[in-house]
Amino acid sequence: MADSLTGLTGMEKKTGGKMEKKKSGLGIRAKINSLIFGIVVLLSGILIFATNKFMEYNAEYEHVLENISKITYIKTNSIKVARTVVNMCAAGGNVAGSGHPEIVETMKQYIVDIGVNIGDEPEYNQNRN
């Protein structure tokens, strides 16, 4: 309550009649801005980390799909070549001109490629023949 003679409140009397604001280090606007900036930096870091992991997993997945494609090619063509070569030999056909040697060479290369992609870990070698 203000003094009736001087018009000063109790706080103003103690400071010599001057109202002084208490100074803090940062204003509320600066605190909110720094909080928002910190959140943006944190989320950007998480986004960069997640994108990096996504790209690593995508590369691994690509290798797996490539291996599956090669295995499917080997499975399909090995059956076809085995049947037709036997029939061609029985009928006296030209095996060298039929394109089967090229298919067999491609299958050999795919087997080597798959072996390199899989590696030498024991858990992946159990079905290798």
Side-chain angles (χ1 to χ4, degrees):
M1 186 152 14
D3 188 10
S4 61
L5 295 174
T6 60
L8 299 175
T9 63
M11 187 61 132
E12 291 170 337
K13 286 180 187 177
K14 290 181 183 174
T15 59
K18 297 180 183 177
M19 273 303 267
E20 293 182 18
K21 277 190 168 181
K22 196 175 186 183
K23 297 264 183 178
S24 64
L26 294 174
I28 189 75
R29 180 181 296 173
K31 289 178 183 177
I32 291 173
N33 285 341
S34 64
L35 177 68
I36 290 172
F37 179 74
I39 290 172
V40 167
V41 168
L42 178 68
L43 292 177
S44 296
I46 291 171
L47 181 65
I48 290 170
F49 176 76
T51 302
N52 187 26
K53 282 294 184 186
F54 169 74
M55 290 172 61
E56 288 175 11
Y57 290 137
N58 191 29
E60 289 178 19
Y61 183 66
E62 228 173 86
H63 287 298
V64 169
L65 290 178
E66 184 179 331
N67 287 343
I68 290 172
S69 174
K70 289 178 180 179
I71 290 169
T72 303
Y73 178 85
I74 292 169
K75 181 180 176 185
T76 304
N77 285 310
S78 63
I79 294 169
K80 183 179 95 173
V81 168
R83 286 181 187 159
T84 56
V85 167
V86 170
N87 292 338
M88 289 176 81
C89 288
N94 183 8
V95 176
S98 67
H100 293 314
E102 291 83 12
I103 294 173
V104 171
E105 288 302 317
T106 303
M107 288 191 297
K108 285 181 186 178
Q109 184 59 43
Y110 282 176
I111 290 170
V112 170
D113 292 345
I114 292 168
V116 169
N117 286 341
I118 290 176
D120 294 328
E121 296 178 25
E123 61 190 44
Y124 301 127
N125 287 330
Q126 62 189 356
N127 293 327
R128 231 186 241 189
N129 292 333

